[in-house]
Amino acid sequence: RLWSRETNAVASKASMEALSMEMKQLAEDTRPSEEQEAAKDALFRQVEQAGKESLDGCTAELFGSAGTKQWMPGSDLDIC
């Protein structure tokens, strides 16, 4: 068993390798596509432009998961 409440339990090499493969697959499955990246960037530029047109000297910055390049499809955009 990979996870156990026993304090002396040790994960087997096979179970750790299986977990590693599952984590790699999850990362691949949740990575945004090029089209999703482009749509996110276009939306940010639209918000940034709207701010510049409305407020003199306005700038916009991404932060959170989008700002750190760790966002997933369906994530919100944190913009300040």
Side-chain angles (χ1 to χ4, degrees), residues 20-53:
S20 179
M21 289 179 62
E22 286 183 36
M23 292 174 69
K24 288 177 183 177
Q25 187 63 50
L26 177 63
E28 185 64 32
D29 292 346
T30 58
R31 181 174 292 127
S33 67
E34 289 182 19
E35 293 82 15
Q36 291 166 323
E37 282 280 351
K40 173 191 63 84
D41 293 342
L43 177 60
F44 173 73
R45 285 191 304 273
Q46 287 178 330
V47 170
E48 182 178 43
Q49 186 60 37
K52 286 179 180 181
E53 291 172 1

Side-chain angles (χ1 to χ4, degrees), residues 2-80:
L2 181 58
W3 304 109
S4 176
R5 291 179 186 244
E6 297 176 26
T7 57
N8 61 350
V10 177
S12 71
K13 183 176 179 179
S15 61
M16 292 302 292
E17 289 174 352
L19 178 61
S20 179
M21 289 179 62
E22 286 183 36
M23 292 174 69
K24 288 177 183 177
Q25 187 63 50
L26 177 63
E28 185 64 32
D29 292 346
T30 58
R31 181 174 292 127
S33 67
E34 289 182 19
E35 293 82 15
Q36 291 166 323
E37 282 280 351
K40 173 191 63 84
D41 293 342
L43 177 60
F44 173 73
R45 285 191 304 273
Q46 287 178 330
V47 170
E48 182 178 43
Q49 186 60 37
K52 286 179 180 181
E53 291 172 1
S54 301
L55 302 166
D56 188 35
C58 180
T59 61
E61 295 291 331
L62 280 174
F63 66 100
S65 61
T68 60
K69 309 286 188 208
Q70 296 179 358
W71 72 286
M72 297 187 311
S75 294
D76 63 345
L77 291 182
D78 299 310
I79 303 173
C80 66

